[in-house]
Amino acid sequence: MRETVASDTVLDEIDRNLINALHGDFPLVPEPYRLVAEALGLSEAEVLRRLDSLLERRVLTRFGPMFQIERAGGAFVLAAMRVPEAGFERVAAQVNAFPEVAHNYRREHAMNMWFVLATATPQGIARTIAAIEAETGLPVFAFPKEREYFVEMKLRA
Amino acid sequence: MREMKLEQDLDATDRRLMVATQAGLPRVSRPYDVLAEQLGITADEVLRRLQRMLDCGVIRRIGAIPNHYAIGYTANGMSVWDVDDSRIDELGEQVGALEFVTHCYHRPRRLPQWPYNLFAMVHGHGRPEVDAKVDQIGLILGDACYHRDVLFSTQILKKTGLRISG
C-alpha cells in the first residue's frame, strides 16, 4: 500500500517548467497542448511526451479537471481514528477497502489515521462512518469543513 | 464564502462529462474532440460546459496534481490550532494567504480528544523547513491561539482521488 516514487526520478528544468505551467488555467481551446507548448518554447509533441512520462513516473498523480464534489451534490469530509499500533495494518486494510475512502494518511499523533471520505450524497458520509466503525470496532471522528479559507495552488516544482 | 446549491443545474451530460474526465484529460492534440465523440456532443459544447463548471466552482481548476514528494516536498505537516472562535475567520484568511499553505480550513473541535479548530497544511523540503513555516503561522495567530500541534505524515496508506459514478 505504500506509495513510492522511483528514487531515480530526475526532473530537468523543462519538466519543472511544464509542471509549473500546468498548475491551472489549462486552455479551453481546440488545441490546448499547442498553446502550452508555445508559451514554453517547446513543440506540442514534446509537451505530450513529457506529460505522459511525468504521469507514468507518478511525478504527477493526475492531469485534468479537479472537481469540487460538494458543488455537484456530493460530500467530502476529513475523518480520523485513534488506531492501536498493534492493529494498525489490519485497520488500514479495512478502512482502505471502502471505495468512499479517497485518501488515507498515517500521521504521528494519538489520532494516527487521517482519511478523506467522498460520497455522492451528504447522507453517504454518515452511512460510511457508521460502516467503518462497525467494521473496525473503533470510533471515527469526523471533521467536516465549517469554512474554507482561500489558498492558491502555489507549490513550485 | 461562495456557497451555492448547484446540483440541480448539472444535467446528465455534465455528469457524463465529469465521469469521462475524472481519470484525466486525453493527452492528444485535440483532447476536447475525443471527449465530444465519447459523449456524442460537439467539441464546442464540451468547452462551453467545462467553462460553465469552472465559473460556478464545480471544477476548481484544470491542471496537474503533482506528487508533492516527487517534486521535492518530502515533509508534509498538518498544523492544527486552537483559535479564538471570534477571530478565526479573520486569522484563517491570513493563514490561507501564506504561500506555503496548501489547504486551510475551519473545522469543529472534538472535545476532549481534539481541541483544534483551524487546520493548515504545510509542505516543505524537510521537517525543519515545515517547523519554521509553522512558527510563521504561530506569529500570525499570536495570542488568539491557545494550543497547537503539527501532525507529520509518515505514510500514504491510500490515494485514489474521488470517484464519481454517473
Side-chain angles (χ1 to χ4, degrees):
Chain A
M1 276 319 214
R2 202 176 282 265
E3 185 174 86
T4 54
V5 175
S7 56
D8 59 354
T9 291
V10 177
L11 298 181
D12 65 17
E13 190 70 21
I14 298 173
D15 285 329
R16 289 180 189 278
N17 289 342
L18 181 60
I19 293 169
N20 291 333
L22 292 177
H23 261 317
D25 294 330
F26 189 65
L28 288 171
V29 298
E31 298 187 354
Y33 296 105
R34 180 178 304 279
L35 216 59
V36 170
E38 279 168 8
L40 294 172
L42 301 171
S43 69
E44 181 189 55
E46 175 81 355
V47 163
L48 287 167
R49 188 184 63 73
R50 283 184 181 263
L51 188 52
D52 280 338
S53 165
L54 290 169
L55 284 159
E56 194 173 315
R57 289 183 287 156
R58 305 282 298 152
V59 173
L60 299 179
T61 59
R62 205 169 155 279
F63 174 72
M66 264 143 274
F67 295 102
Q68 189 163 10
I69 194 171
E70 297 98 327
R71 295 284 166 83
F76 209 55
V77 167
L78 179 69
M81 294 169 83
R82 300 159 68 109
V83 183
E85 215 43 53
F88 195 89
E89 296 292 329
R90 173 184 58 83
V91 173
Q94 288 171 328
V95 170
N96 289 350
F98 283 85
E100 294 87 352
V101 174
H103 317 152
N104 189 1
Y105 287 80
R106 182 173 187 147
R107 295 190 180 276
E108 285 179 351
H109 193 272
M111 204 84 89
N112 54 356
M113 186 180 288
W114 289 81
F115 47 94
V116 169
L117 298 174
T119 60
T121 63
Q123 300 86 321
I125 295 290
R127 207 160 43 228
T128 305
I129 286 176
I132 291 174
E133 289 182 328
E135 179 80 14
T136 62
L138 296 169
V140 172
F141 297 87
F143 295 95
K145 71 176 174 195
E146 292 187 357
R147 178 148 176 186
E148 175 174 0
Y149 302 109
F150 181 77
V151 297
E152 295 274 2
M153 265 319 285
K154 50 214 160 178
L155 289 185
R156 300 200 56 85
Chain B
M1 203 166 42
R2 313 159 296 168
E3 280 302 340
M4 293 175 280
K5 285 273 178 220
L6 284 153
E7 56 266 43
Q8 59 272 46
D9 295 340
L10 292 176
D11 65 17
T13 306
D14 289 323
R15 288 184 181 274
R16 287 199 299 137
L17 185 53
M18 291 173 76
V19 171
T21 56
Q22 66 182 335
L25 275 186
R27 295 186 303 281
V28 297
S29 184
R30 301 179 68 90
Y32 307 115
D33 289 12
V34 172
L35 293 168
E37 193 162 332
Q38 250 176 285
L39 299 179
I41 57 180
T42 65
D44 272 352
E45 187 173 353
V46 169
L47 291 171
R48 196 169 49 71
R49 285 177 181 271
L50 288 173
Q51 185 63 58
R52 187 177 151 274
M53 286 196 270
L54 268 169
D55 292 343
C56 70
V58 170
I59 296 176
R60 273 176 192 272
R61 62 189 174 98
I62 301 177
I65 303 189
N67 175 326
H68 293 139
Y69 196 92
I71 62 169
Y73 293 85
T74 52
N76 155 231
M78 183 173 75
S79 72
V80 292
W81 311 81
D82 175 8
V83 178
D84 188 327
D85 289 310
S86 68
R87 298 188 59 198
I88 190 166
D89 285 341
E90 161 218 341
L91 293 165
E93 296 290 351
Q94 291 180 43
V95 172
L98 293 168
E99 52 97 22
F100 52 81
V101 171
T102 56
H103 303 272
C104 189
Y105 293 98
H106 175 193
R107 300 184 185 280
R109 296 183 182 88
R110 296 296 180 206
L111 297 170
Q113 294 93 341
W114 190 259
Y116 309 108
N117 58 347
L118 181 69
F119 290 56
M121 197 66 80
V122 177
H123 295 268
H125 303 79
R127 289 195 184 195
E129 184 183 322
V130 171
D131 285 333
K133 290 171 168 174
V134 168
D135 285 343
Q136 283 188 53
I137 297 176
L139 287 177
I140 289 177
L141 298 178
D143 63 6
C145 171
Y146 311 118
H147 303 92
R148 65 191 249 185
D149 203 346
V150 185
L151 283 69
F152 282 99
S153 75
T154 53
Q155 194 180 351
I156 300 173
L157 301 166
K158 183 177 184 180
K159 188 168 185 176
T160 52
L162 65 93
R163 296 279 158 75
I164 306 153
S165 52

mmCIF file of all heavy atoms in Angstrom, chain B residues 59-96:
data_model
loop_
_atom_site.group_PDB
_atom_site.id
_atom_site.type_symbol
_atom_site.label_atom_id
_atom_site.label_comp_id
_atom_site.label_asym_id
_atom_site.label_seq_id
_atom_site.Cartn_x
_atom_site.Cartn_y
_atom_site.Cartn_z
ATOM 1 N N ILE B 59 -15.874 22.741 -11.045
ATOM 2 C CA ILE B 59 -14.459 22.454 -11.323
ATOM 3 C C ILE B 59 -13.646 23.562 -10.652
ATOM 4 O O ILE B 59 -13.880 24.742 -10.880
ATOM 5 C CB ILE B 59 -14.168 22.434 -12.832
ATOM 6 C CG1 ILE B 59 -14.947 21.294 -13.497
ATOM 7 C CG2 ILE B 59 -12.667 22.272 -13.087
ATOM 8 C CD1 ILE B 59 -14.791 21.258 -15.012
ATOM 9 N N ARG B 60 -12.710 23.148 -9.767
ATOM 10 C CA ARG B 60 -11.839 24.126 -9.110
ATOM 11 C C ARG B 60 -10.820 24.694 -10.080
ATOM 12 O O ARG B 60 -10.531 25.874 -10.091
ATOM 13 C CB ARG B 60 -11.031 23.454 -8.010
ATOM 14 C CG ARG B 60 -11.704 23.380 -6.687
ATOM 15 C CD ARG B 60 -10.793 22.590 -5.741
ATOM 16 N NE ARG B 60 -11.499 22.250 -4.534
ATOM 17 C CZ ARG B 60 -11.549 23.037 -3.469
ATOM 18 N NH1 ARG B 60 -10.905 24.169 -3.445
ATOM 19 N NH2 ARG B 60 -12.237 22.674 -2.414
ATOM 20 N N ARG B 61 -10.195 23.783 -10.826
ATOM 21 C CA ARG B 61 -9.211 24.205 -11.811
ATOM 22 C C ARG B 61 -8.959 23.033 -12.724
ATOM 23 O O ARG B 61 -9.305 21.889 -12.400
ATOM 24 C CB ARG B 61 -7.908 24.659 -11.144
ATOM 25 C CG ARG B 61 -7.210 23.575 -10.359
ATOM 26 C CD ARG B 61 -6.045 24.137 -9.527
ATOM 27 N NE ARG B 61 -5.474 23.104 -8.680
ATOM 28 C CZ ARG B 61 -4.390 22.390 -8.964
ATOM 29 N NH1 ARG B 61 -3.722 22.602 -10.082
ATOM 30 N NH2 ARG B 61 -3.970 21.444 -8.152
ATOM 31 N N ILE B 62 -8.378 23.310 -13.887
ATOM 32 C CA ILE B 62 -7.988 22.233 -14.786
ATOM 33 C C ILE B 62 -6.472 22.267 -14.852
ATOM 34 O O ILE B 62 -5.879 23.263 -15.263
ATOM 35 C CB ILE B 62 -8.596 22.412 -16.196
ATOM 36 C CG1 ILE B 62 -10.126 22.450 -16.101
ATOM 37 C CG2 ILE B 62 -8.139 21.286 -17.124
ATOM 38 C CD1 ILE B 62 -10.833 22.702 -17.436
ATOM 39 N N GLY B 63 -5.839 21.200 -14.419
ATOM 40 C CA GLY B 63 -4.382 21.216 -14.394
ATOM 41 C C GLY B 63 -3.815 19.933 -13.832
ATOM 42 O O GLY B 63 -4.497 18.905 -13.765
ATOM 43 N N ALA B 64 -2.552 20.023 -13.415
ATOM 44 C CA ALA B 64 -1.812 18.852 -12.960
ATOM 45 C C ALA B 64 -1.795 18.803 -11.435
ATOM 46 O O ALA B 64 -1.667 19.825 -10.779
ATOM 47 C CB ALA B 64 -0.383 18.915 -13.480
ATOM 48 N N ILE B 65 -1.930 17.593 -10.874
ATOM 49 C CA ILE B 65 -1.736 17.409 -9.438
ATOM 50 C C ILE B 65 -0.396 16.725 -9.254
ATOM 51 O O ILE B 65 -0.231 15.561 -9.611
ATOM 52 C CB ILE B 65 -2.826 16.520 -8.814
ATOM 53 C CG1 ILE B 65 -4.203 17.116 -9.084
ATOM 54 C CG2 ILE B 65 -2.588 16.378 -7.312
ATOM 55 C CD1 ILE B 65 -5.306 16.423 -8.338
ATOM 56 N N PRO B 66 0.586 17.453 -8.718
ATOM 57 C CA PRO B 66 1.878 16.815 -8.521
ATOM 58 C C PRO B 66 1.889 15.940 -7.286
ATOM 59 O O PRO B 66 1.163 16.194 -6.325
ATOM 60 C CB PRO B 66 2.847 17.993 -8.367
ATOM 61 C CG PRO B 66 2.023 19.148 -7.968
ATOM 62 C CD PRO B 66 0.591 18.875 -8.354
ATOM 63 N N ASN B 67 2.680 14.890 -7.334
ATOM 64 C CA ASN B 67 3.024 14.129 -6.148
ATOM 65 C C ASN B 67 4.029 14.998 -5.400
ATOM 66 O O ASN B 67 5.136 15.213 -5.876
ATOM 67 C CB ASN B 67 3.652 12.815 -6.607
ATOM 68 C CG ASN B 67 4.157 11.980 -5.465
ATOM 69 O OD1 ASN B 67 4.628 12.503 -4.458
ATOM 70 N ND2 ASN B 67 4.066 10.681 -5.632
ATOM 71 N N HIS B 68 3.623 15.543 -4.254
ATOM 72 C CA HIS B 68 4.486 16.519 -3.560
ATOM 73 C C HIS B 68 5.875 15.971 -3.302
ATOM 74 O O HIS B 68 6.864 16.665 -3.440
ATOM 75 C CB HIS B 68 3.843 16.936 -2.234
ATOM 76 C CG HIS B 68 2.585 17.717 -2.433
ATOM 77 N ND1 HIS B 68 1.470 17.534 -1.671
ATOM 78 C CD2 HIS B 68 2.280 18.671 -3.317
ATOM 79 C CE1 HIS B 68 0.510 18.351 -2.088
ATOM 80 N NE2 HIS B 68 0.979 19.047 -3.087
ATOM 81 N N TYR B 69 5.933 14.695 -2.946
ATOM 82 C CA TYR B 69 7.211 14.080 -2.630
ATOM 83 C C TYR B 69 8.135 14.108 -3.846
ATOM 84 O O TYR B 69 9.312 14.450 -3.752
ATOM 85 C CB TYR B 69 6.986 12.636 -2.168
ATOM 86 C CG TYR B 69 8.181 12.057 -1.470
ATOM 87 C CD1 TYR B 69 8.322 12.143 -0.080
ATOM 88 C CD2 TYR B 69 9.189 11.431 -2.194
ATOM 89 C CE1 TYR B 69 9.426 11.634 0.557
ATOM 90 C CE2 TYR B 69 10.298 10.909 -1.558
ATOM 91 C CZ TYR B 69 10.406 11.021 -0.185
ATOM 92 O OH TYR B 69 11.510 10.518 0.444
ATOM 93 N N ALA B 70 7.558 13.812 -5.008
ATOM 94 C CA ALA B 70 8.372 13.723 -6.225
ATOM 95 C C ALA B 70 8.906 15.075 -6.673
ATOM 96 O O ALA B 70 9.921 15.143 -7.373
ATOM 97 C CB ALA B 70 7.551 13.088 -7.351
ATOM 98 N N ILE B 71 8.236 16.167 -6.298
ATOM 99 C CA ILE B 71 8.768 17.470 -6.696
ATOM 100 C C ILE B 71 9.574 18.107 -5.563
ATOM 101 O O ILE B 71 9.840 19.296 -5.566
ATOM 102 C CB ILE B 71 7.676 18.423 -7.236
ATOM 103 C CG1 ILE B 71 6.616 18.739 -6.175
ATOM 104 C CG2 ILE B 71 7.023 17.856 -8.489
ATOM 105 C CD1 ILE B 71 5.664 19.883 -6.584
ATOM 106 N N GLY B 72 9.969 17.277 -4.591
ATOM 107 C CA GLY B 72 10.936 17.735 -3.600
ATOM 108 C C GLY B 72 10.372 18.100 -2.233
ATOM 109 O O GLY B 72 11.124 18.371 -1.303
ATOM 110 N N TYR B 73 9.022 18.109 -2.120
ATOM 111 C CA TYR B 73 8.420 18.455 -0.833
ATOM 112 C C TYR B 73 8.267 17.173 -0.017
ATOM 113 O O TYR B 73 7.220 16.546 -0.012
ATOM 114 C CB TYR B 73 7.073 19.157 -1.037
ATOM 115 C CG TYR B 73 7.233 20.509 -1.681
ATOM 116 C CD1 TYR B 73 7.317 20.637 -3.060
ATOM 117 C CD2 TYR B 73 7.347 21.655 -0.900
ATOM 118 C CE1 TYR B 73 7.501 21.877 -3.666
ATOM 119 C CE2 TYR B 73 7.523 22.899 -1.491
ATOM 120 C CZ TYR B 73 7.598 22.998 -2.871
ATOM 121 O OH TYR B 73 7.772 24.224 -3.445
ATOM 122 N N THR B 74 9.361 16.795 0.652
ATOM 123 C CA THR B 74 9.400 15.485 1.297
ATOM 124 C C THR B 74 8.724 15.488 2.663
ATOM 125 O O THR B 74 8.475 14.428 3.216
ATOM 126 C CB THR B 74 10.852 15.022 1.460
ATOM 127 O OG1 THR B 74 11.574 16.076 2.111
ATOM 128 C CG2 THR B 74 11.483 14.761 0.096
ATOM 129 N N ALA B 75 8.471 16.668 3.220
ATOM 130 C CA ALA B 75 7.814 16.719 4.532
ATOM 131 C C ALA B 75 6.445 17.372 4.403
ATOM 132 O O ALA B 75 6.278 18.365 3.692
ATOM 133 C CB ALA B 75 8.668 17.499 5.526
ATOM 134 N N ASN B 76 5.477 16.784 5.072
ATOM 135 C CA ASN B 76 4.099 17.257 4.999
ATOM 136 C C ASN B 76 3.549 17.301 6.419
ATOM 137 O O ASN B 76 3.445 16.263 7.067
ATOM 138 C CB ASN B 76 3.311 16.304 4.089
ATOM 139 C CG ASN B 76 1.835 16.310 4.392
ATOM 140 O OD1 ASN B 76 1.241 15.253 4.580
ATOM 141 N ND2 ASN B 76 1.250 17.473 4.450
ATOM 142 N N GLY B 77 3.293 18.496 6.894
ATOM 143 C CA GLY B 77 2.775 18.631 8.249
ATOM 144 C C GLY B 77 1.389 19.237 8.239
ATOM 145 O O GLY B 77 1.155 20.272 7.622
ATOM 146 N N MET B 78 0.447 18.572 8.924
ATOM 147 C CA MET B 78 -0.870 19.176 9.100
ATOM 148 C C MET B 78 -0.783 19.958 10.415
ATOM 149 O O MET B 78 -0.733 19.365 11.490
ATOM 150 C CB MET B 78 -1.937 18.080 9.171
ATOM 151 C CG MET B 78 -3.348 18.631 9.280
ATOM 152 S SD MET B 78 -4.599 17.321 9.150
ATOM 153 C CE MET B 78 -4.452 16.547 10.750
ATOM 154 N N SER B 79 -0.697 21.283 10.306
ATOM 155 C CA SER B 79 -0.641 22.085 11.529
ATOM 156 C C SER B 79 -2.069 22.343 11.989
ATOM 157 O O SER B 79 -2.960 22.598 11.179
ATOM 158 C CB SER B 79 0.114 23.394 11.293
ATOM 159 O OG SER B 79 -0.635 24.296 10.512
ATOM 160 N N VAL B 80 -2.278 22.205 13.301
ATOM 161 C CA VAL B 80 -3.628 22.351 13.855
ATOM 162 C C VAL B 80 -3.567 23.306 15.038
ATOM 163 O O VAL B 80 -2.590 23.292 15.798
ATOM 164 C CB VAL B 80 -4.228 20.981 14.249
ATOM 165 C CG1 VAL B 80 -4.483 20.147 13.001
ATOM 166 C CG2 VAL B 80 -3.330 20.212 15.208
ATOM 167 N N TRP B 81 -4.579 24.146 15.159
ATOM 168 C CA TRP B 81 -4.534 25.275 16.066
ATOM 169 C C TRP B 81 -5.862 25.428 16.789
ATOM 170 O O TRP B 81 -6.924 25.252 16.185
ATOM 171 C CB TRP B 81 -4.250 26.559 15.262
ATOM 172 C CG TRP B 81 -3.096 26.420 14.326
ATOM 173 C CD1 TRP B 81 -3.111 25.838 13.087
ATOM 174 C CD2 TRP B 81 -1.746 26.833 14.551
ATOM 175 N NE1 TRP B 81 -1.852 25.874 12.541
ATOM 176 C CE2 TRP B 81 -0.994 26.487 13.411
ATOM 177 C CE3 TRP B 81 -1.098 27.478 15.615
ATOM 178 C CZ2 TRP B 81 0.376 26.747 13.302
ATOM 179 C CZ3 TRP B 81 0.261 27.753 15.503
ATOM 180 C CH2 TRP B 81 0.983 27.383 14.361
ATOM 181 N N ASP B 82 -5.782 25.761 18.054
ATOM 182 C CA ASP B 82 -6.985 26.062 18.849
ATOM 183 C C ASP B 82 -7.083 27.585 18.886
ATOM 184 O O ASP B 82 -6.350 28.235 19.628
ATOM 185 C CB ASP B 82 -6.809 25.455 20.249
ATOM 186 C CG ASP B 82 -7.951 25.819 21.193
ATOM 187 O OD1 ASP B 82 -8.951 26.400 20.730
ATOM 188 O OD2 ASP B 82 -7.827 25.520 22.397
ATOM 189 N N VAL B 83 -7.970 28.117 18.053
ATOM 190 C CA VAL B 83 -8.027 29.567 17.847
ATOM 191 C C VAL B 83 -9.341 30.127 18.395
ATOM 192 O O VAL B 83 -10.405 29.504 18.240
ATOM 193 C CB VAL B 83 -7.912 29.894 16.338
ATOM 194 C CG1 VAL B 83 -8.016 31.393 16.095
ATOM 195 C CG2 VAL B 83 -6.598 29.359 15.782
ATOM 196 N N ASP B 84 -9.251 31.276 18.994
ATOM 197 C CA ASP B 84 -10.418 32.013 19.482
ATOM 198 C C ASP B 84 -11.494 32.073 18.390
ATOM 199 O O ASP B 84 -11.244 32.565 17.290
ATOM 200 C CB ASP B 84 -9.939 33.436 19.837
ATOM 201 C CG ASP B 84 -11.017 34.240 20.534
ATOM 202 O OD1 ASP B 84 -12.214 34.042 20.239
ATOM 203 O OD2 ASP B 84 -10.630 35.084 21.366
ATOM 204 N N ASP B 85 -12.686 31.534 18.712
ATOM 205 C CA ASP B 85 -13.749 31.455 17.702
ATOM 206 C C ASP B 85 -14.113 32.817 17.110
ATOM 207 O O ASP B 85 -14.497 32.905 15.948
ATOM 208 C CB ASP B 85 -15.014 30.824 18.305
ATOM 209 C CG ASP B 85 -14.816 29.341 18.563
ATOM 210 O OD1 ASP B 85 -14.368 28.639 17.649
ATOM 211 O OD2 ASP B 85 -15.111 28.891 19.688
ATOM 212 N N SER B 86 -13.984 33.856 17.915
ATOM 213 C CA SER B 86 -14.419 35.167 17.421
ATOM 214 C C SER B 86 -13.416 35.760 16.432
ATOM 215 O O SER B 86 -13.721 36.727 15.748
ATOM 216 C CB SER B 86 -14.616 36.127 18.602
ATOM 217 O OG SER B 86 -13.364 36.429 19.187
ATOM 218 N N ARG B 87 -12.214 35.167 16.344
ATOM 219 C CA ARG B 87 -11.205 35.741 15.455
ATOM 220 C C ARG B 87 -10.793 34.782 14.341
ATOM 221 O O ARG B 87 -9.917 35.104 13.522
ATOM 222 C CB ARG B 87 -9.975 36.158 16.273
ATOM 223 C CG ARG B 87 -10.336 37.246 17.288
ATOM 224 C CD ARG B 87 -9.108 37.795 17.965
ATOM 225 N NE ARG B 87 -8.176 38.355 16.987
ATOM 226 C CZ ARG B 87 -6.892 38.593 17.255
ATOM 227 N NH1 ARG B 87 -6.410 38.333 18.455
ATOM 228 N NH2 ARG B 87 -6.105 39.108 16.334
ATOM 229 N N ILE B 88 -11.397 33.579 14.316
ATOM 230 C CA ILE B 88 -10.859 32.553 13.425
ATOM 231 C C ILE B 88 -10.986 32.925 11.943
ATOM 232 O O ILE B 88 -10.084 32.645 11.162
ATOM 233 C CB ILE B 88 -11.481 31.160 13.734
ATOM 234 C CG1 ILE B 88 -10.716 30.084 12.948
ATOM 235 C CG2 ILE B 88 -12.968 31.128 13.433
ATOM 236 C CD1 ILE B 88 -10.991 28.676 13.410
ATOM 237 N N ASP B 89 -12.078 33.585 11.548
ATOM 238 C CA ASP B 89 -12.240 33.876 10.123
ATOM 239 C C ASP B 89 -11.205 34.891 9.640
ATOM 240 O O ASP B 89 -10.567 34.701 8.608
ATOM 241 C CB ASP B 89 -13.655 34.367 9.827
ATOM 242 C CG ASP B 89 -14.655 33.215 9.854
ATOM 243 O OD1 ASP B 89 -14.220 32.056 9.738
ATOM 244 O OD2 ASP B 89 -15.859 33.479 9.989
ATOM 245 N N GLU B 90 -11.042 35.930 10.410
ATOM 246 C CA GLU B 90 -10.072 36.970 10.061
ATOM 247 C C GLU B 90 -8.662 36.364 9.980
ATOM 248 O O GLU B 90 -7.912 36.607 9.022
ATOM 249 C CB GLU B 90 -10.154 38.046 11.164
ATOM 250 C CG GLU B 90 -9.003 38.977 11.303
ATOM 251 C CD GLU B 90 -8.699 39.300 12.790
ATOM 252 O OE1 GLU B 90 -9.583 39.102 13.672
ATOM 253 O OE2 GLU B 90 -7.577 39.727 13.033
ATOM 254 N N LEU B 91 -8.309 35.517 10.970
ATOM 255 C CA LEU B 91 -6.968 34.937 11.006
ATOM 256 C C LEU B 91 -6.806 33.816 9.980
ATOM 257 O O LEU B 91 -5.751 33.674 9.363
ATOM 258 C CB LEU B 91 -6.661 34.430 12.420
ATOM 259 C CG LEU B 91 -6.540 35.560 13.452
ATOM 260 C CD1 LEU B 91 -6.599 35.006 14.871
ATOM 261 C CD2 LEU B 91 -5.237 36.338 13.228
ATOM 262 N N GLY B 92 -7.869 33.030 9.786
ATOM 263 C CA GLY B 92 -7.819 31.948 8.800
ATOM 264 C C GLY B 92 -7.527 32.479 7.405
ATOM 265 O O GLY B 92 -6.749 31.891 6.649
ATOM 266 N N GLU B 93 -8.125 33.609 7.055
ATOM 267 C CA GLU B 93 -7.856 34.216 5.740
ATOM 268 C C GLU B 93 -6.377 34.580 5.613
ATOM 269 O O GLU B 93 -5.769 34.393 4.554
ATOM 270 C CB GLU B 93 -8.699 35.490 5.542
ATOM 271 C CG GLU B 93 -10.203 35.291 5.515
ATOM 272 C CD GLU B 93 -10.716 34.570 4.272
ATOM 273 O OE1 GLU B 93 -9.925 34.355 3.330
ATOM 274 O OE2 GLU B 93 -11.914 34.198 4.277
ATOM 275 N N GLN B 94 -5.793 35.088 6.689
ATOM 276 C CA GLN B 94 -4.376 35.474 6.643
ATOM 277 C C GLN B 94 -3.471 34.254 6.517
ATOM 278 O O GLN B 94 -2.475 34.277 5.794
ATOM 279 C CB GLN B 94 -3.990 36.251 7.906
ATOM 280 C CG GLN B 94 -4.623 37.623 7.998
ATOM 281 C CD GLN B 94 -4.183 38.325 9.287
ATOM 282 O OE1 GLN B 94 -3.027 38.294 9.670
ATOM 283 N NE2 GLN B 94 -5.136 38.944 9.965
ATOM 284 N N VAL B 95 -3.834 33.178 7.212
ATOM 285 C CA VAL B 95 -3.025 31.959 7.152
ATOM 286 C C VAL B 95 -3.128 31.335 5.750
ATOM 287 O O VAL B 95 -2.133 30.922 5.162
ATOM 288 C CB VAL B 95 -3.451 30.961 8.256
ATOM 289 C CG1 VAL B 95 -2.760 29.620 8.074
ATOM 290 C CG2 VAL B 95 -3.138 31.530 9.632
ATOM 291 N N GLY B 96 -4.335 31.286 5.205
ATOM 292 C CA GLY B 96 -4.528 30.730 3.865
ATOM 293 C C GLY B 96 -3.732 31.481 2.807
ATOM 294 O O GLY B 96 -3.312 30.912 1.810
#
